[in-house]
Amino acid sequence: MHELSICQNLLAQVAEIAGRRGAIAVARITVELGPLCGTEPTLLLSAFEVARAGSCAAGAALHIEITAVSARCTTCGTTTQVEPNRIVCGDCGGYRMHLISGDELRLRGVELRLPETHAVLTAQASVSETRLCANPAVVP
Amino acid sequence: MCQSCGCAVTPADAHPGAAMDSPRTEVIEVMQNLLAANDRVAEHNREHFDEHGLLAINLMSSPGAGKTALLEATIMALRDRYRIAVIEGDMETDNDAVRIRAQGVPAYQITTGAACHLDAHLVHRALHDLPLAGIDLLFIENVGNLICPASFDLGQHRNVILLCTTEGDDKPAKYPVMFRAADLVLLSKADLLGVLDDFDPARAAAALRRLGCDTPMIQTAARRAPAIGAWLGWLEQQLAERRSGAPGHRPRNQQTVAA
């Protein structure tokens, strides 16, 4: 149930980027999740529905890409695609494995809506008022 | 796709004036860890710990696996040789901090309310009320939970996870994220193994290895006739390594973060 905290972190990062770019809205957020990141995609989507209300991403779609778990055997060097709870070498059966992917928990990208070009050119002074995203509070 | 009518257009035959009249779309590639804010504070906490030369242990398990009892027995065994402090994390009550203070060591209770885990910010706040000067060992007893605490770095040097004999020996297979984070797994309440016919330590060890880890597993019994010698030995070895300035004193699940 920590997905709501993750979502708040996600929205703070998105708000920071959107604020910096002067966006009027966030259209789409893409997140990369590995099965070993400890965050459940369906719960993250539910938490996002709650967390996005009133934020700059209120109308944004959250797209989650799930990565595969793959690991390299430190004994024989073989790289294997594995199950999250069966991380053993597909070649020699060794268990001293170095994880290559599968624990990602990251913001991959955002799609922003920017103000109309002519509005930017003719009304520079009002651009700040059209921004929906303020910079988030600085982390203590 | 064209923003005016939705047709697919190439840049060469885009509708004239479209860029002037429509909101522009910008796609930005980010690739940023979602826990970056937590991780920054965790690094800051780790700097605090390193300045004081102490060893910080994040103790995690399911509720009731015996984290507080283990700490009581550990303090009893080590308090004449080391100065110990404890940060307790629970959703409610300061019961655990009261038990620790009864052992004569300082304890700070974090009550998380609805939160199911400690995070680096909560620990950082605790550090302002828990003087670290002179402390050798700092234990952070996380909220009893085999899921969420694994995702949040607190700034600790080592993760220790209790697997209780009254739980199933397949717990590592069921909670791979948590058990992959362990630098040491303690098989707690091992004195019950004689009366439990459904927990096989060898099966638990095999489930742990199948997570691709060669994490050591040590048996402990913390109550009545405490048997925690191997655990104390591991702790003292970690503290000695920490103080010898050996590099890489970070939990195994934080090894990839730049020091």
Side-chain angles (χ1 to χ4, degrees), chain B residues 43-250:
Chain B
E43 279 310 313
H44 176 74
N45 291 345
R46 197 170 280 118
E47 283 166 17
H48 272 305
F49 301 150
D50 288 345
E51 272 167 31
H52 290 90
L54 60 80
L55 176 72
I57 303 281
N58 181 16
L59 213 53
M60 295 181 278
S61 77
S62 50
K67 294 184 294 299
T68 314
L70 177 75
L71 285 179
E72 287 172 315
T74 304
I75 292 165
M76 226 178 288
L78 295 181
R79 66 185 163 200
D80 293 337
R81 279 183 289 152
Y82 300 104
R83 282 154 301 179
I84 301 170
V86 178
I87 294 173
E88 286 286 347
D90 281 294
M91 290 178 76
E92 291 294 348
T93 83
D94 64 347
N95 294 352
D96 288 357
V98 169
R99 282 171 64 182
I100 297 299
R101 287 186 203 119
Q103 298 297 323
V105 306
Y108 183 92
Q109 178 77 50
I110 299 173
T111 46
T112 60
C116 47
H117 58 274
L118 292 180
D119 66 23
H121 296 91
L122 289 170
V123 170
H124 183 247
R125 220 171 297 154
L127 296 182
H128 286 274
D129 289 305
L130 187 71
L132 295 180
I135 297 295
D136 300 301
L137 290 166
L138 173 69
F139 293 101
I140 304 168
E141 183 182 334
N142 218 311
V143 179
N145 178 344
L146 281 179
I147 306 168
C148 314
S151 297
F152 294 84
D153 185 15
L154 308 176
Q156 72 277 13
H157 296 110
R158 291 287 183 257
N159 287 326
V160 175
I161 296 167
L162 278 70
L163 168 55
C164 183
T165 53
T166 55
E167 306 175 64
D169 51 26
D170 59 351
K171 278 288 178 290
K174 288 180 173 171
Y175 299 91
V177 178
M178 174 59 78
F179 282 93
R180 277 186 52 79
D183 295 292
L184 174 70
V185 173
L186 296 177
L187 209 53
S188 65
K189 307 186 191 181
D191 46 340
L192 297 180
L193 281 170
V195 293
L196 297 169
D197 58 5
D198 56 351
F199 191 103
D200 179 358
R203 271 204 303 261
L208 187 62
R209 279 198 302 276
R210 276 195 295 272
L211 300 182
C213 312
D214 56 356
T215 310
M217 186 181 272
I218 288 175
Q219 296 191 8
T220 56
R223 295 177 68 90
R224 280 183 286 277
I228 56 172
W231 152 242
L232 298 179
W234 182 88
L235 264 181
E236 292 194 272
Q237 184 197 337
Q238 296 298 317
L239 182 60
E241 281 177 20
R242 163 78 200 73
R243 292 196 160 159
S244 71
H249 235 80
R250 313 169 60 86

